[in-house]
Structures are given as C-alpha cells and as structure tokens.
C-alpha cells in the first residue's frame, strides 16, 4: 500500500495514529528513487490526465512509488501505472477514505451534502448516502465496519454502516467540526470543534459523545501520540497547544507556543512533538513527558506541514511563503539544511524507509522529491494546477484522486504497488 508518509504528522485536519482516517490526505505522483529533474512528457515520465483541481503526496509502503494529485498526474519511471476509470460523484468531492480490504472507497461531497461509495472492483458508485451539511474528511474504523463523517455546517457527525451503506447514527457535536481522528484501537474518535473551542470525544461502540473537552480558540486538528496516551490540539487563535489525556479525557496541560500553530508531528518514541507556528516563522519543540517547550527553532516564512522521519532523527518543515523546506536535527533541535523547492509548498511526506521526502508545491504545480540522505532535490515533477486529496489502498495498487472542480474521482492503478 502506499505507506504513510507522515508518520505522526498532523495537519489540522488530520491526526496521526488515527486508524485509517482517510488519511486522509495528500497529493500524488508515482516515482522511483534517484531520478533527475524531468519535465512531463520527457524521458521515463508518463503523464496521466485526471480531473481539475486536486493537492498532497502519498507514498507506497515499499517506497517504490509516490503519487501526486492534480489536473495531470505525472508518473516517473513506471509505465505500469495508468488511469483505469473516471467516476462521476457529487459536487466538490474532497477527501477519499478507503477500507482496509481495499474493496470500497468513501468520498465526501461538500457541496451536495452526501457521500459517494465506490465499488473498487467495478469502478462504479454503488450508493450515494445523504449526510449533514458540508461534509468533511471521512474516517473509516480499523475494522472497516463504520465510516465517520464530520458535517461542518450542521454541527454533527454522521455514522455510516459500511455493510448497508446507510446512516445509522447522527451524533451532535460542537460548532464547525473540522475532522474526525480515530484512535488506533477504533474505540474512540476525537472531533475538534473550531467554532465552540471544544473537542468532542465519541465512544465508537455506542456512538455517543462521552466527553466534551474545552480547549483553546480555533482548534483545527488533533495529533495523537503513537502510544495513544495523549492527544495534541493546536489552537490557532490562542497560540497554544491543549494536551489531552486520552484515558481520562481531560486537558492536562496548555502549552504556549508561537503564533498561529498549525501542523503537529510527534516522534515515534513519543518523546517530542513539533509544532509549526505559521505566523511567527518558527517551530516549537514540546517535551511530551513534561509538556513544556524545550526549544524554539527559527525556520522559513509561513511554516505549515511537519513530517518526522521514521527513525525520529529529523523533522522536515515546509515553509509556504519562502518556498523552502527546513530540515531539523531532532537531537540538537537545530536547522541543519534549508532546501529550495517550488512555490508555496503546502505539504511534506516522508516515505516509510525514510530515504525520500515528497513536497507538494501548490503555486508552481509540481512536486519536489528530496533525497533525505543528501538533503537535496533530486527530481522536480510537473503536475496539474494547484495540486485536493488522494487515498491509496492498503496494497498500494490503487489510488483515488478527488477532483473538486470536475466532480469526479480518478482511479489510478499500479500493477506493481
């Protein structure tokens, strides 16, 4: 499958250690390692036309391919990858979540207030499920039995039974729910409510809210530590991080950070959390045992996404306004390299073997491939304009690209994964 990428990363609307929350999330281009800069249509590049307006990067677990979504997805080095279907769905499709067995894909359609269910074997929509207003990222439970859909404008979460493809519960939460973060055991879900400054905790067995946790102003996401004991909530408007004890579901610490905190990533040993402060142009490093800031690392302007390498030794930070990536040595908590990439980088993903990082450059419509051993760009891949999301099946053979402006989903197949 397309392996994750941003181990323990969270971008506001995403959270690490969630169980297959569509993971939602992220632009694609398939490519092999150590390739030179190649324009689309030259050398071993295959250009695959898809719909319009689609951003992010996802990489298969074996590190053999990276997928970038956009108007045209460029695939480097593997002619076995091709578009096998373009499937009409609802209006403004956003995030796609694929069940663990790869049999079905769930697509939230923001402007038609429904979810399209795609049969992966037949490439057809088998159900269209009405949900609440302005549905967001779909999260599928680890066992594949249920899908949770946050409805931003109706202030609730729709629970879909994936066997009958019907809504079996509608759970009232706070105002403007942003996302659903499933804990990896599938028993609880955390929903940050941006408009009410709270996080709703859902018992996924009974489908009821068992706790409403006050946090700071403008909570935009949740990042859970790999051991599932703590959840970190960046509060963009109060410039702090709420730390939730997931056993007691209470805030055990409020950690002041820089201005406009957004992306959060936790190291694999659960000892440090890295917070990107978009408006103060730095990274706050939190000691997760004491929940205090132990370092403030200056980076480029407008830092957004953060990704930590699987070994936990480096953190990669995309600087949206300076078109660069800062590489932080997590032992010294200092920037050891600054890598020029495309214009307005919006996301970064490190593949599971840690050898490459993929950066989606929103305004230059391309993807920069970074060799993490040399910390240099080894390929720049042209993609479509403003590259919205991608979901890849567990085996890495199929990727789904939602195209927001053409109201369809493009299916990309790989014979090798």
């Amino acid at each position: 499958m397309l392996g994750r990428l941003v181990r323990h990363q969270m971008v506001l609307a995403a959270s690490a250690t969630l169980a297959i929350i569509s993971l939602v999330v992220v632009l694609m281009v398939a490519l092999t390692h150590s390739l030179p800069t190649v324009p689309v249509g030259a050398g071993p590049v295959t250009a695959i036309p898809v719909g319009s307006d689609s951003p992010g990067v996802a990489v298969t677990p074996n590190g053999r391919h990276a997928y970038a979504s956009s108007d045209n997805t460029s695939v480097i080095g593997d002619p076995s990858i091709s578009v096998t279907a373009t499937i009409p769905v609802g209006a403004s499709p956003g995030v796609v979540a694929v069940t663990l067995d790869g049999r079905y894909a769930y697509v939230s359609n923001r402007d038609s207030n429904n979810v399209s269910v795609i049969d992966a074997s037949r490439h057809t929509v088998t159900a269209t499920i009405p949900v609440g207003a302005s549905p967001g990222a779909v999260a599928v439970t680890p066992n594949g039995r249920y899908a949770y859909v946050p409805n931003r404008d109706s202030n609730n979460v729709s629970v879909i039974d994936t066997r009958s493809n019907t809504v079996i519960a509608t759970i009232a939460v706070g105002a403007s729910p942003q996302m659903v973060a499933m804990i990896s055991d599938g028993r609880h879900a955390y929903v940050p409510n941006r408009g009410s400054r709270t996080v709703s905790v859902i018992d996924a067995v009974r489908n009821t809210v068992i706790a409403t946790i006050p946090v700071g102003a403008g909570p935009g996401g949740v990042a859970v530590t790999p051991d599932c004991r703590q959840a970190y909530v960046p509060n963009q408007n109060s410039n702090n991080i709420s730390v939730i004890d997931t056993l007691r579901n209470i805030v055990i610490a409020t950690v002041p950070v820089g201005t406009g905190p957004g992306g959060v990533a936790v190291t694999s040993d659960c000892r440090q959390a890295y917070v990107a402060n978009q408006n103060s142009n730095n990274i706050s490093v939190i000691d997760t045992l004491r929940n205090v800031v132990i370092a403030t690392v200056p980076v480029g302007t407008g830092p957004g996404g953060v990704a930590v390498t699987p070994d936990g030794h480096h953190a990669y930070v995309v600087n949206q306004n300076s078109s660069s990536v800062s590489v932080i040595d997590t032992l010294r908590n200092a920037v050891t390299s600054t890598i020029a990439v495309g214009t307005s980088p919006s996301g970064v993903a490190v593949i599971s073997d840690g050898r490459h990082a993929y950066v989606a450059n929103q305004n230059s419509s391309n993807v920069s491939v970074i060799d993490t051993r040399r910390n240099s760009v080894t390929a720049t891949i042209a993609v479509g304009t403003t590259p919205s999301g991608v979901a890849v099946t567990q085996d890495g053979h199929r990727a789904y690209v939602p195209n927001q402006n053409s109201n369809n989903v493009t299916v990309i197949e790989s014979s090798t994964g």
Side-chain angles (χ1 to χ4, degrees):
M1 121 175 200
L2 176 113
R4 247 348 78 192
L5 335 160
V6 181
R7 187 112 32 138
H8 326 301
Q9 169 189 15
M10 161 213 142
V11 190
L12 315 175
S15 53
T17 45
L18 320 173
I20 318 273
I21 196 177
S22 71
L23 304 165
V24 74
V25 10
V26 212
L27 217 8
M28 25 181 111
V29 178
L31 25 89
T32 56
H33 302 320
S34 304
L35 290 168
T37 300
V38 186
V40 173
V45 178
T46 301
I48 300 177
V50 295
S52 54
D53 266 7
S54 303
V57 171
V59 185
T60 52
N62 62 13
R64 293 174 62 185
H65 300 100
Y67 295 83
S69 68
S70 64
D71 288 350
N72 291 284
T73 299
S74 299
V75 182
I76 302 293
D78 193 342
S80 65
I81 301 174
S82 61
V83 170
T84 56
T86 299
I87 306 169
V89 292
S92 298
V95 176
V96 180
V98 183
T99 55
L100 272 177
D101 59 13
R103 295 176 60 190
Y104 296 98
Y106 287 76
V107 186
S108 60
N109 305 303
R110 186 189 62 211
D111 292 342
S112 55
N113 301 328
N114 53 30
V115 171
S116 299
V117 184
I118 296 174
D119 182 318
S121 62
R122 292 186 290 164
H123 295 326
T124 58
V125 171
T126 58
T128 300
I129 308 168
V131 292
S134 299
V138 184
V140 179
T141 55
N143 62 10
R145 287 279 309 278
Y146 303 99
Y148 286 73
V149 185
N151 304 302
R152 185 191 64 195
D153 293 342
S154 53
N155 303 327
N156 54 29
V157 172
S158 300
V159 184
I160 297 172
D161 183 324
T162 59
R163 292 174 297 183
S164 62
N165 281 325
T166 58
V167 173
I168 59 169
T170 300
I171 307 168
V173 293
S176 301
Q178 298 296 294
M179 60 171 288
V180 178
M182 297 294 303
I183 295 296
S184 58
D185 62 9
R187 297 177 59 186
H188 296 93
Y190 288 77
V191 182
N193 306 301
R194 189 176 185 86
S196 56
R197 303 184 178 190
T198 59
V199 171
S200 299
V201 184
I202 296 175
D203 181 325
V205 177
R206 295 179 294 162
N207 284 324
T208 57
V209 172
I210 59 173
T212 300
I213 307 170
V215 292
V222 180
V224 183
T225 55
D227 60 11
C228 296
R229 294 182 179 178
Q230 296 184 151
Y232 287 77
V233 181
N235 304 302
Q236 291 183 321
N237 299 333
S238 56
N239 303 324
N240 53 29
I241 301 290
S242 297
V243 184
I244 297 173
D245 180 325
T246 59
L247 295 178
R248 295 179 290 165
N249 284 323
I250 60 172
V251 172
I252 57 174
T254 300
V255 186
V257 291
T259 55
V264 179
V266 182
T267 56
S268 55
D269 61 7
C270 299
R271 297 180 62 181
Q272 296 185 151
Y274 288 77
V275 182
N277 304 304
Q278 191 167 25
N279 298 332
S280 55
N281 303 326
N282 53 29
I283 300 294
S284 298
V285 184
I286 298 175
D287 180 327
T288 60
L289 297 178
R290 296 179 294 152
N291 283 318
V292 296
V293 172
I294 57 173
T296 300
V297 185
V299 290
T301 54
V306 185
V308 178
T309 54
D311 60 13
H313 292 168
H314 295 91
Y316 285 75
V317 182
V318 290
N319 304 304
Q320 209 164 24
N321 298 334
S322 56
S323 300
S324 64
V325 171
S326 299
V327 184
I328 297 174
D329 182 323
T330 60
L331 297 178
R332 294 184 290 155
N333 283 322
V335 172
T336 57
S337 182
T338 300
I339 307 167
V341 291
T343 308
S344 298
S346 58
V348 58
V350 180
I351 67 173
S352 57
D353 64 8
R355 296 175 60 186
H356 293 87
Y358 297 84
V359 180
N361 305 305
Q362 209 166 33
N363 289 349
S364 56
S365 300
N366 55 25
V367 171
S368 301
V369 183
I370 297 173
D371 182 329
T372 59
R373 293 165 295 183
R374 295 183 290 166
N375 282 325
S376 62
V377 173
T378 58
T380 301
I381 304 149
V383 292
T385 51
T386 318
S388 113
V390 170
V392 183
T393 55
Q394 189 79 354
D395 60 11
H397 289 313
R398 183 177 292 125
Y400 293 85
V401 183
N403 307 301
Q404 288 187 342
N405 289 350
S406 54
N407 300 330
N408 54 27
V409 171
T410 300
V411 184
I412 299 174
E413 301 270 0
S414 168
S415 62
T416 56

